[in-house]
């Protein structure tokens, strides 16, 4: 039978990295381990230790650049059903759908 003996790390998605760092280090009492940065130098991940376990505090990923084939698939997946159409641009709620007449 297969079983895990240990974990390498777990990751927590966060929206505000400095605030999350402060909370987990100062309030929870975890130890700062390291930080990884984006190419522009802005922080991307902070790793803290809880005993022997590593916790990654991760900002959400950047929106990926879709290749043309992937764009076509996404348009097909998000296309409204045949009986629905989007309101015109001049309406108060342009994203709302209405039944076709």
């Amino acid at each position: 039978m297969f079983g895990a003996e240990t974990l390498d790390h777990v990751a927590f998605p966060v929206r505000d990295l400095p605030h999350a760092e402060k909370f987990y280090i100062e309030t929870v009492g975890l130890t700062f381990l390291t930080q990884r940065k984006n190419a522009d130098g802005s922080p991307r991940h902070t790793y803290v230790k809880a005993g022997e376990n590593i916790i990654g505090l991760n900002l959400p990923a950047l929106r990926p650049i879709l290749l043309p084939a992937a764009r076509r698939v996404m348009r097909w997946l998000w296309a409204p059903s045949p009986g629905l159409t989007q309101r015109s641009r001049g309406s108060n709620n342009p994203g709302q759908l209405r039944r076709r007449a």
Side-chain angles (χ1 to χ4, degrees):
M1 183 166 136
F2 178 77
E5 294 180 16
T6 186
L7 291 174
D8 178 58
H9 71 280
V10 294
F12 296 158
V14 300
R15 292 182 187 206
D16 183 346
L17 194 55
H19 182 73
E21 289 173 9
K22 183 176 180 180
F23 173 76
Y24 284 103
I25 293 169
E26 295 178 11
T27 305
V28 179
L30 304 184
T31 306
F32 176 83
L33 183 61
T34 189
Q35 186 176 75
R36 294 202 178 152
K37 299 184 182 225
N38 292 316
D40 66 359
S42 61
R44 181 83 187 120
H45 308 289
T46 295
Y47 295 96
V48 293
K49 285 195 83 172
E52 293 300 314
N53 301 302
I54 298 171
I55 298 174
L57 307 174
N58 304 320
L59 289 172
L62 300 175
R63 185 176 177 195
I65 298 171
L66 296 177
L67 298 174
R71 280 192 218 115
R72 285 192 298 275
V73 170
M74 294 303 292
R75 278 195 301 267
W76 178 80
L77 288 172
W78 292 103
S81 65
L84 298 175
T85 182
Q86 287 190 341
R87 287 188 175 185
S88 66
R89 291 182 176 218
S91 70
N92 291 336
N93 191 350
Q96 187 176 13
L97 298 175
R98 62 180 164 84
R99 290 261 171 226
R100 285 189 180 155

